[in-house]
Amino acid sequence: MPEVRQERTGWRDEALSRRHRRWGWDCPAVDLDFLFLEYDHGRASAIVEYKNEHAAPQYASHPTYQAMIDLGNRAGIPVLACRYADDFSQWKVTPLNHEARKYIPNRVTLSEQEWVRLLYRIRGYEVPQAVLDAIYTEV
């Protein structure tokens, strides 16, 4: 039986991570880095796995992503992988399931405004101008 991978980063709830690894190879789980459940009025609208542009590459064939895709398919919602630039100027978005491809058929690079428009469109809304204006306001 293959050995279960050890905790690598130390920033998660390490005690739970170590404990879960004792449960064996056939009981896999993952603490996803930055998984967002996009929702509206208490209803799930999309699953997005966010990664910074400097993070390790994402592979849709990895069992972690396959589990996310399965979850989205069962829920009938889009599943997207999104790599964002440090300055939030670019959002590289990859559709991971059929529902996501209804909105974007292939991987695309979007501006922040375009990304926000997509998130609103998935929910069935137009973006309020005040929100678009706030994107360019420095805090």
Side-chain angles (χ1 to χ4, degrees), residues 44-48 72 76-80 96-101 103 122:
S45 56
I47 296 170
V48 180
I77 61 174
V79 181
L80 302 152
L96 297 177
N97 69 349
H98 177 72
E99 292 299 318
R101 286 183 200 91
Y103 296 95
I122 288 170

Side-chain angles (χ1 to χ4, degrees), residues 13 60-61:
D13 186 338
S61 61

Side-chain angles (χ1 to χ4, degrees), residues 23-69:
W23 301 342
W25 183 259
D26 291 324
C27 189
V30 64
D31 176 5
L32 298 168
D33 292 338
F34 213 63
L35 183 69
F36 267 47
L37 177 63
E38 299 283 346
Y39 70 95
D40 180 46
H41 292 92
R43 294 185 53 100
S45 56
I47 296 170
V48 180
E49 170 70 359
Y50 285 97
K51 294 273 190 189
N52 180 273
E53 64 184 335
H54 302 296
Q58 299 160 292
Y59 298 102
S61 61
H62 190 279
T64 298
Y65 282 89
Q66 289 299 301
M68 282 183 350
I69 292 165

Side-chain angles (χ1 to χ4, degrees), residues 52-133:
N52 180 273
E53 64 184 335
H54 302 296
Q58 299 160 292
Y59 298 102
S61 61
H62 190 279
T64 298
Y65 282 89
Q66 289 299 301
M68 282 183 350
I69 292 165
D70 178 60
L71 181 62
N73 287 345
R74 289 174 189 233
I77 61 174
V79 181
L80 302 152
C82 183
R83 297 181 73 84
Y84 59 93
D86 283 336
D87 65 359
F88 305 112
S89 63
Q90 289 190 345
W91 303 75
K92 293 181 180 176
V93 185
T94 304
L96 297 177
N97 69 349
H98 177 72
E99 292 299 318
R101 286 183 200 91
K102 290 178 182 177
Y103 296 95
I104 53 169
N106 300 300
R107 183 177 183 200
V108 63
T109 300
L110 304 174
S111 68
E112 186 174 9
Q113 262 196 2
E114 291 168 327
W115 173 239
V116 172
R117 284 183 198 279
L118 176 60
L119 292 176
Y120 271 78
R121 189 167 53 122
I122 288 170
R123 290 171 170 88
Y125 300 124
E126 292 288 323
V127 184
Q129 189 59 47
V131 170
L132 294 173
D133 293 343

